[in-house]
Amino acid sequence: ASTGSDEQTEVPEGLIGCNEEVEIGDWVATMTGYSFEDEWSDGFLTYSADDGNKYLLVDLTVTNNGTKANTFVTKYYAYDAKIYYQDKYEYQINNFMGSVGDDLSSLSIKPLETKEGSLIFKVPDAVASEDGSVTMELTLNKDTYKFQIR
């Protein structure tokens, strides 16, 4: 598995880089790295990416500065997360409904609580093995935040 946490890459203007703190609504988020994996475990179940695919785990530290418990990103409400490969191929967040562990798309976080975890996307092997750009786009209402993954 490759990781982006040790690499120092130039971040294009308008993109949020690794270890850069950003406010997203009631949240403060910092992307701390990424990895491509064949499987992911929530501590109870292990999920395997289908043949020809990998899971892209985008590691984040998030703090809920809101007044109620909430989930950082979810596919079905005001927050959304997508991966873009070479600025044109789009991949939706992988939602493991009801999973536990460090999947930030299903983890309820209390007010003023900070959690470390991952947003998980299923992507083709080509995204993991080729050199093209990879970005993550988080959308809250009409505001969009773009993170430089690779």
Side-chain angles (χ1 to χ4, degrees):
S2 65
T3 180
S5 56
D6 298 331
E7 298 172 15
Q8 292 297 322
T9 56
E10 183 102 6
V11 177
E13 191 172 336
L15 293 179
I16 301 159
C18 199
N19 298 314
E20 189 177 334
E21 191 174 274
V22 63
E23 288 186 32
I24 302 174
D26 288 337
W27 297 90
V28 175
T30 305
M31 182 181 69
T32 57
Y34 71 90
S35 62
F36 292 97
E37 306 289 346
D38 292 322
E39 32 183 59
W40 176 79
S41 175
D42 66 7
F44 294 99
L45 298 173
T46 298
Y47 303 88
S48 294
D50 304 325
D51 282 348
N53 292 283
K54 298 258 190 258
Y55 287 127
L56 168 55
L57 280 63
V58 179
D59 303 323
L60 297 153
T61 300
V62 297
T63 301
N64 179 1
N65 286 330
T67 57
K68 297 178 185 168
N70 205 346
T71 304
F72 176 59
V73 169
T74 178
K75 208 172 158 163
Y76 304 106
Y77 300 103
Y79 307 96
D80 192 18
K82 295 175 183 159
I83 289 292
Y84 287 94
Y85 175 58
Q86 297 180 345
D87 296 321
K88 59 184 173 181
Y89 302 103
E90 178 183 302
Y91 304 95
Q92 297 284 340
I93 193 165
N94 206 84
N95 199 311
F96 300 99
M97 293 301 276
S99 70
V100 292
D102 61 1
D103 175 9
L104 290 175
S105 72
S106 61
L107 192 63
S108 181
I109 301 173
K110 297 180 197 115
L112 304 180
E113 184 177 30
T114 298
K115 289 276 189 187
E116 294 179 7
S118 302
L119 295 178
I120 304 162
F121 304 84
K122 190 188 297 185
V123 298
D125 284 343
V127 176
S129 62
E130 295 176 6
D131 289 337
S133 69
V134 178
T135 56
M136 177 177 67
E137 189 172 286
L138 297 181
T139 303
L140 169 60
N141 301 322
K142 293 187 173 146
D143 296 324
T144 299
Y145 305 85
K146 293 183 179 181
F147 291 79
Q148 176 74 39
I149 306 294
R150 180 182 72 205

